[in-house]
Amino acid sequence: GDSVTQMEGPVTLSEEAFLTINCTYTATGYPSLFWYVQYPGEGLQLLLKATKADDKGSNKGFEATYRKETTSFHLEKGSVQVSDSAVYFCALRTNNAGNMLTFGGGTRLMVKP
Amino acid sequence: DAMVIQNPRYQVTQFGKPVTLSCSQTLNHNVMYWYQQKSSQAPKLLFHYYDKDFNNEADTPDNFQSRRPNTSFCFLDIRSPGLGDAAMYLCATSRASPRNTEAFFGQGTRLTVV
């Protein structure tokens, strides 16, 4: 079945540091890939997405590139801010399994001033 | 403007007392989902509606039920809440296709069972 694996957190960084959160996937179909962010006490918000190989999703300084050869969709940001502190979820969606979203376990990011 | 609205944001209920959480959407999406999320873990899908067709996940307890009276509204009913049902409940919507469309989430309802 489909699955998503993320690096375990928490990830603790100083402000302006470079961020990478690793995400790899297994899918029987040809998935679309997503990063969602969840701020404390809130629901999930779509951060970015990519729908085919070599696509790069980007938003608010975050980027992720769909790498079919390594089945990865790593999230990066060049300079994090305290306001980026949140939990980040990698997810995929295929035409299988009723089009459901499959989530990774989430990675908590803590950015210190 | 909020597109998926959950009410209430916080709900306190007594052990064993039925409780209903509500979700409404302005997106006219044909798929609506209910997820349970504990302690910033990954959201766990409880069930979803594809239009009026109800789809229950195999491991969703019988204690959890859902109703979708129309396209815009969906309800989660917990018949006899236990302490283990305390969690954040997330409603989401999406178009059924194409597969590259994202799901839109509400802000969630945090349920406390006392």
Side-chain angles (χ1 to χ4, degrees):
Chain A
D2 299 342
S3 66
V4 178
T5 303
Q6 292 180 234
M7 61 189 292
E8 289 193 17
V11 173
T12 303
L13 296 174
S14 297
E15 207 164 22
E16 299 183 2
F18 184 87
L19 168 72
T20 300
I21 300 178
N22 289 339
C23 171
T24 57
Y25 67 89
T26 303
T28 52
Y30 192 20
S32 292
L33 302 173
F34 307 87
W35 276 102
Y36 283 86
V37 58
Q38 186 175 33
Y39 298 102
E42 302 291 327
L44 276 69
Q45 302 174 26
L46 179 69
L47 182 60
L48 54 84
K49 70 177 184 181
T51 59
K52 61 183 186 295
D54 300 324
D55 267 3
K56 177 185 284 187
S58 62
N59 185 26
K60 299 180 181 179
F62 291 88
E63 293 183 340
T65 301
Y66 190 141
R67 300 288 188 199
K68 186 179 179 184
E69 64 275 15
T70 55
T71 61
S72 65
F73 193 53
H74 304 321
L75 183 67
E76 297 181 335
K77 187 176 185 182
S79 177
V80 294
Q81 306 300 313
V82 173
S83 58
D84 294 327
S85 299
V87 181
Y88 292 82
F89 291 95
C90 185
L92 68 80
R93 191 181 187 194
T94 69
N95 287 329
N96 301 323
N99 262 346
M100 295 300 103
L101 271 175
T102 300
F103 285 97
T107 303
R108 179 178 296 278
L109 171 65
M110 300 171 61
V111 181
K112 297 184 176 181
Chain B
D1 291 336
M3 295 178 287
V4 182
I5 303 167
Q6 291 189 243
N7 283 305
R9 290 290 307 277
Y10 302 92
Q11 175 74 57
V12 180
T13 191
Q14 291 180 337
F15 183 94
K17 184 175 181 180
V19 65
T20 295
L21 310 182
S22 71
C23 176
S24 63
Q25 56 137 335
T26 60
L27 297 163
N28 204 34
H29 285 166
N30 53 350
V31 188
M32 294 187 77
Y33 311 83
W34 279 105
Y35 289 87
Q36 180 192 64
Q37 187 185 29
K38 294 186 176 182
S39 303
S40 290
Q41 297 174 16
K44 178 182 182 298
L45 183 65
L46 296 172
F47 25 61
H48 75 278
Y49 278 93
Y50 187 138
D51 293 322
K52 293 185 178 180
D53 292 334
F54 178 71
N55 298 272
N56 200 31
E57 293 301 296
D59 57 354
T60 298
D62 293 339
N63 199 25
F64 291 84
Q65 304 287 323
S66 185
R67 296 169 284 135
R68 189 179 186 186
N70 54 51
T71 301
S72 300
F73 286 87
C74 195
F75 300 97
L76 170 62
D77 301 309
I78 308 177
R79 292 190 299 184
S80 181
L83 297 178
D85 297 327
M88 174 79 92
Y89 289 87
L90 297 168
C91 175
T93 74
S94 73
R95 294 198 304 262
S97 62
R99 60 168 174 76
N100 59 4
T101 56
E102 66 266 31
F104 293 80
F105 284 80
Q107 290 190 297
T109 295
R110 181 164 295 283
L111 178 68
T112 300
V113 181
V114 298

